[in-house]
């Protein structure tokens, strides 16, 4: 039985900094200043470099340890699928937190909820779309491209304006922020 891959140095450091911030009562809004390895886009380049390698090790560990059925195999092209990147990062960090617990309940919950939930979402999003050695590009690419066309953007804004009674948008999103009554903006 192979052990769960240990997070590399800077990923461990980021997780420890977050743990210390939580223990010290730091306001959650200040967490935005810290690397959060379960959300790779929030991480510094140094942490992200290590995070990629660690998530790759975790995906391999999952395949070796849990993938009896093909529906539980993380495809080798997982880095080409942003949803899988994010899901694997969360799953890996949850597994570390469960392993650090002083009681077995968090690990049982990881097995009962996190792991099956990961597989269910992976299969819902990917299906068997990427068999060994054959990456399937994003089937919804044309739908996303259509969503971003100037005519589709203009039509959505027209509907927003019609709903709110606002005058037609000039094409740029409104940058004003509402006042919450105390002079602070969200």
């Amino acid at each position: 039985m192979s052990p769960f891959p240990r997070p590399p140095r800077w990923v461990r450091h980021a997780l420890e900094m977050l743990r210390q911030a939580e223990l010290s009562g730091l306001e959650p809004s200040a967490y935005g200043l810290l690397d959060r390895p379960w959300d790779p886009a929030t991480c510094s380049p140094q942490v992200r470099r290590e995070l990629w390698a660690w998530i790759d090790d975790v995906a391999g560990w999952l395949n070796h340890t849990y993938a009896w059925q093909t529906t539980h195999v993380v495809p080798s092209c997982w880095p080409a699928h942003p949803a899988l990147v994010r899901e694997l990062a969360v799953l890996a960090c949850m597994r570390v937190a469960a392993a650090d617990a002083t009681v077995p309940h968090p690990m049982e919950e990881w097995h009962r909820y996190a792991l099956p939930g990961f597989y269910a979402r992976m299969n819902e999003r990917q299906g068997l779309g990427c068999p060994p050695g054959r990456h399937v590009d994003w089937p919804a690419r044309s739908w996303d491209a259509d969503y971003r066309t100037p005519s589709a953007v203009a039509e959505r804004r027209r509907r927003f304006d019609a709903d709110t009674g606002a005058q037609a948008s000039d094409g740029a999103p409104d940058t004003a922020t509402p006042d919450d009554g105390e002079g602070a903006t969200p």
Side-chain angles (χ1 to χ4, degrees):
M1 185 160 42
S2 61
F4 183 77
R6 185 167 186 227
R9 176 181 176 213
W10 288 108
V11 173
R12 281 193 324 271
H13 177 73
L15 293 170
E16 179 59 22
M17 294 295 293
L18 289 158
R19 190 180 75 74
Q20 292 293 330
E22 184 178 30
L23 289 174
S24 71
L26 186 66
E27 287 293 319
S29 61
Y31 290 5
L33 303 174
L34 300 172
D35 292 315
R36 294 178 309 275
W38 57 85
D39 187 2
T42 68
C43 295
S44 65
Q46 182 176 31
V47 172
R48 277 175 90 156
R49 271 189 293 280
E50 288 190 354
L51 189 59
W52 280 112
W54 180 51
I55 295 173
D56 193 40
D57 289 345
V58 169
W61 180 83
L62 288 168
N63 286 347
H64 181 75
T65 307
Y66 292 100
W68 183 258
Q69 301 291 329
T70 58
T71 57
H72 291 161
V73 174
V74 177
S76 62
C77 60
W78 67 265
H81 301 282
L84 272 179
V85 172
R86 290 179 180 95
E87 291 273 0
L88 283 165
V90 169
L91 189 68
C93 290
M94 289 178 72
R95 176 63 170 72
V96 168
D100 286 346
T102 58
V103 294
H105 303 88
M107 187 63 76
E108 192 275 336
E109 288 180 0
W110 185 86
H111 281 96
R112 181 185 297 237
Y113 301 111
L115 187 60
F118 164 76
Y119 286 133
R121 289 185 301 276
M122 179 179 72
N123 287 309
E124 179 183 318
R125 291 182 184 114
Q126 305 294 126
L128 293 176
C130 291
R134 199 178 90 226
H135 170 69
V136 176
D137 198 20
W138 185 24
R141 183 178 306 282
S142 63
W143 291 74
D144 181 65
D146 177 66
Y147 184 87
R148 297 171 188 281
T149 62
S151 61
V153 169
E155 176 60 18
R156 286 194 304 277
R157 288 192 178 141
R158 184 192 67 72
R159 290 179 184 271
F160 303 157
D161 292 342
D163 178 64
T164 62
Q167 293 185 4
S169 297
D170 63 3
D174 187 10
T175 57
T177 55
D179 188 345
D180 67 1
E182 296 181 291
T185 56

